[in-house]
Amino acid sequence: MKIVKTYVEVHARFDSSGKLIPEKIVWEDGRSYEIDRVSDIRQAAAMKVGGQGDRYTITVNGQQRYLYFERSTNICGNTIGRWFVEAKVA
């Protein structure tokens, strides 16, 4: 199996302190998963696929995973970044 960087849609909110909190992941094919818990947020590299950003340690259906927020280098406009995961493909 190969591991690739896969960009995903994420439904998120900002809490009252300004922290970005992901709540749901939606794959291109329409599958969606509620995020049960965010246990850690830190700057980190995606060692398996390259790239770096804010790494969210999340729990989905009882399994711990990493979700990354890759910040945009463009400081203007509405695009502040993209979310990705390290996904296995056949």
Side-chain angles (χ1 to χ4, degrees):
M1 289 221 153
K2 182 179 177 182
I3 299 176
V4 298
K5 182 189 284 190
T6 303
Y7 290 98
V8 292
E9 178 181 331
V10 172
H11 297 202
R13 66 179 170 83
F14 286 98
D15 70 10
S16 61
S17 69
K19 192 180 296 182
L20 180 59
I21 308 295
E23 296 183 329
K24 182 179 183 179
I25 299 172
V26 181
W27 293 84
E28 270 190 7
D29 64 6
R31 291 177 294 147
S32 65
Y33 299 94
E34 296 291 330
I35 296 171
D36 302 322
R37 182 171 181 252
V38 176
S39 57
D40 187 52
I41 305 168
R42 67 178 65 200
Q43 286 285 316
M47 302 304 286
K48 297 176 184 174
V49 297
Q52 69 177 33
D54 299 328
R55 184 183 75 190
Y56 289 73
T57 304
I58 61 172
T59 303
V60 176
N61 293 330
Q63 296 186 12
Q64 183 175 297
R65 298 283 186 250
Y66 293 130
L67 173 65
Y68 294 87
F69 183 72
E70 183 178 68
R71 295 171 188 253
S72 174
T73 56
N74 183 1
I75 59 172
C76 302
N78 293 330
T79 304
I80 61 171
R82 298 193 292 175
W83 295 93
F84 72 89
V85 295
E86 297 171 322
K88 294 178 185 175
V89 294

